[in-house]
Amino acid sequence: KAGVTQTPRYLIKTRGQQVTLSCSPISGHRSVSWYQQTPGQGLQFLFEYFSETQRNKGNFPGRFSGRQFSNSRSEMNVSTLELGDSALYLCASSSPGRTSLYGYTFGSGTRLTVV
Amino acid sequence: TQLLEQSPQFLSIQEGENLTVYCNSSSVFSSLQWYRQEPGEGPVLLVTVVTGGEVKKLKRLTFQFGDARKDSSLHITAAQPGDTGLYLCAGGSQGNLIFGKGTKLSVKP
């Protein structure tokens, strides 16, 4: 079965712009989580969506937002981009309630560079 | 706040050597997972350990969960260049997982 698909793979944006990243989870996985990965901070949890509802949110400013559609596809948006937002953004899908046992399946990520 | 600390941060060894990386916390986890991430890709799940004291083997990789379920280790026997990557531990009681910052392993031929 198809894996987790993230688009685009690479993105270069200018400070102050906004960006939208997309994630299609594994078929049948209804939970989608987003993480930001940087060399200094590692993987930091952004938010989790299940059945089009945000279930959990990490400690990020309101400029970071997301949504999930009825087909479980998810998007995340970052507004008013800052240099510090440059990172690898990873999407992970899982079966809800089973993450601690079966783990995540990650996409290949979107590499965002803010200049 | 639950935190996972991994050590060492970096490890550079020759092919054929053995190594152990550690994942420690002051919190109890219902399970811990190990992932490996290669450059330009997302992490890939290697194993989940659930029971305190549990040992799991995956070919040359041996994973152990501490008796108190606060720590875990990953031992690689006779490392190969293909083992190169970032090794991440992750844990969570429910919902989202938290990740350690990882051990970056480089195995030179």
Side-chain angles (χ1 to χ4, degrees):
Chain A
K1 60 185 178 185
V4 177
T5 303
Q6 288 189 248
T7 56
R9 284 297 306 272
Y10 303 93
L11 210 46
I12 299 176
K13 290 286 189 178
T14 305
R15 271 182 302 176
Q17 288 187 312
Q18 74 165 18
V19 67
T20 299
L21 312 181
S22 179
C23 171
S24 293
I26 286 177
S27 177
H29 281 187
R30 295 164 58 199
S31 176
V32 174
S33 298
W34 289 88
Y35 284 82
Q36 181 196 65
Q37 186 176 30
T38 58
Q41 298 299 319
L43 273 90
Q44 292 187 287
F45 173 71
L46 282 157
F47 26 66
E48 179 201 7
Y49 284 88
F50 171 69
S51 289
E52 303 177 63
T53 301
Q54 186 181 88
R55 283 209 301 192
N56 290 298
K57 189 177 191 305
N59 190 25
F60 277 81
R63 300 185 295 108
F64 292 81
S65 63
R67 58 178 175 167
Q68 186 180 35
F69 302 95
S70 58
N71 62 356
S72 294
R73 190 177 72 84
S74 178
E75 288 181 348
M76 68 162 280
N77 184 276
V78 188
S79 64
T80 319
L81 284 166
E82 301 177 0
L83 294 179
D85 297 333
S86 295
L88 181 67
Y89 290 87
L90 291 162
C91 167
S93 77
S94 61
S95 294
R98 298 186 175 192
T99 304
S100 61
L101 194 58
Y102 296 110
Y104 287 138
T105 301
F106 282 91
S108 297
T110 294
R111 171 72 63 186
L112 172 65
T113 302
V114 182
V115 296
Chain B
T1 305
Q2 294 180 312
L3 288 173
L4 286 167
E5 294 188 3
Q6 291 190 242
S7 61
Q9 270 190 286
F10 302 95
L11 197 50
S12 182
I13 62 172
Q14 292 296 129
E15 183 176 0
E17 291 184 17
N18 301 332
L19 67 116
T20 303
V21 299
Y22 301 92
C23 174
N24 295 291
S25 177
S26 58
S27 304
V28 174
F29 287 89
S30 59
S31 66
L32 279 179
Q33 298 172 357
W34 287 90
Y35 292 77
R36 185 172 76 195
Q37 184 178 20
E38 298 186 16
E41 297 297 329
V44 175
L45 178 66
L46 296 173
V47 77
T48 301
V49 285
V50 178
T51 307
E54 181 178 5
V55 176
K56 279 192 174 178
K57 292 193 174 184
L58 190 66
K59 296 182 181 178
R60 295 175 293 101
L61 278 60
T62 302
F63 304 85
Q64 185 161 8
F65 200 11
D67 291 341
R69 291 187 288 130
K70 291 183 178 182
D71 56 88
S72 181
S73 64
L74 158 59
H75 181 81
I76 301 179
T77 303
Q80 299 177 359
D83 296 325
T84 293
L86 179 68
Y87 288 82
L88 297 156
C89 67
S93 299
Q94 56 185 5
N96 58 282
L97 295 179
I98 61 165
F99 284 81
K101 290 187 178 181
T103 293
K104 193 167 185 178
L105 172 65
S106 175
V107 182
K108 301 185 189 316

